[in-house]
Amino acid sequence: MKKLLCAVSLALGVSGFAMADGLDSAINGAQRTADYQARDQYRHPKQTLEFFGIKPDMTVVEISPGGGWYTEILAPYLKDSGTYYAAGFDPESEVKYYQNAHKRFSEKLAANPDMYGKVQVSIFQPPAKLDIAPAGSADMVLTFRNVHNWYMNGGEENVLASFKAFAKALKPGGVLGVVEHRLPADRPASDQDRSGYMHQAFVVRIAEQAGFTLAAESDVNANPKDTADHPKGVWTLPPSLRLGEEDKAKYQAIGESDRMTLKFVKK
């Protein structure tokens, strides 16, 4: 058995084992918030990050980390050999929500310096503040369920400016990973305005205009139960459940939204 394990180690490389073990350890670590971890069944962090091709020695920028759902995975995974940039809201914004979100995220990092002490915090507040990392420094930029926010708060120009900022931060050949709520292709573009869902063709077109090539797409975060036509848009579904107790069981049975998962490469 020992000889067999040695042979496998030589074939795959010790770094391959370390990479897998490191990601599993980060996903299953004690730093994960219980409510966040419960959503792994919908967000599939291991499969998603492996699809994007993440490695522990990369420089990775996460756009708009929010409450730190992916921060709890990416920060420990990258802290020993890589670099993790969390490009979040502007604390100097006039919008109180952005101020409070930045404050909560900063407090989260400060509460666990062993886990988050190496996190590099930058500001991403399109269209004014787009310097998420030094130009040409990143191996990977990741954005999870954010494109609709940029679209709803500035339209196509705002989305394009954001994607151009990602291209600027990435090295040639660097990866942009996008997860976004998916609007069915046969629905009118106007449904993107307030629903929280985006056409996949729109996202691909904007990425290409910003200097990216679509390398691969995955259904790892797809949900065929989601019809994307709910009274409160995507926020009707878990985890938001904006209708409260009204039809709660129905929307819980659907689960979280149907999502596109796209891997782009900078030209």
Side-chain angles (χ1 to χ4, degrees), residues 1 4 7 29 80 92 109 123 138 145 170 175 187 224 239 241 265:
M1 179 61 76
L4 177 60
D80 291 334
E92 298 179 357
L109 300 186
I123 304 302
R145 300 157 41 251
L170 283 165
V175 170
R187 297 272 287 281
L241 294 170
V265 174

Side-chain angles (χ1 to χ4, degrees), residues 13-40:
V14 174
S15 61
F17 287 107
M19 182 172 67
D21 289 347
L23 191 53
D24 285 334
S25 295
I27 291 170
N28 298 315
Q31 83 284 351
R32 298 284 313 280
T33 302
D35 288 347
Y36 288 0
Q37 203 162 23
R39 295 179 63 199
D40 287 0

Side-chain angles (χ1 to χ4, degrees), residues 116-128:
Y116 304 123
K118 293 184 178 180
V119 174
Q120 303 292 313
V121 176
S122 59
I123 304 302
F124 177 75
Q125 199 71 61

Side-chain angles (χ1 to χ4, degrees), residues 61-69 71 84-89 105 122 124-126 132 142-146 149-150 166:
V61 185
E62 184 191 0
I63 306 299
S64 300
W69 198 95
T71 301
Y84 169 60
Y85 283 88
F89 293 126
F105 186 73
S122 59
F124 177 75
Q125 199 71 61
I132 55 176
L142 300 173
T143 174
F144 302 99
R145 300 157 41 251
N146 291 309
N149 290 318
W150 311 326
F166 307 156

Side-chain angles (χ1 to χ4, degrees), residues 20 28-29 41 61 66 85 102 130-131 138 142 208 221 230 238:
N28 298 315
Q41 62 178 312
V61 185
Y85 283 88
H102 179 88
L130 299 170
D131 292 329
L142 300 173
E208 289 175 345
N221 294 302
H230 314 298

Side-chain angles (χ1 to χ4, degrees), residues 56-127:
D57 60 352
M58 283 182 165
T59 294
V60 178
V61 185
E62 184 191 0
I63 306 299
S64 300
W69 198 95
Y70 260 103
T71 301
E72 292 184 354
I73 297 170
L74 293 170
Y77 179 67
L78 296 165
K79 73 182 180 70
D80 291 334
S81 304
T83 303
Y84 169 60
Y85 283 88
F89 293 126
D90 182 7
E92 298 179 357
S93 170
E94 296 180 358
V95 179
K96 200 69 176 177
Y97 173 82
Y98 297 155
Q99 296 175 17
N100 292 336
H102 179 88
K103 182 174 181 291
R104 288 192 299 269
F105 186 73
S106 297
E107 290 172 347
K108 180 185 186 73
L109 300 186
N112 192 345
D114 288 342
M115 194 63 64
Y116 304 123
K118 293 184 178 180
V119 174
Q120 303 292 313
V121 176
S122 59
I123 304 302
F124 177 75
Q125 199 71 61

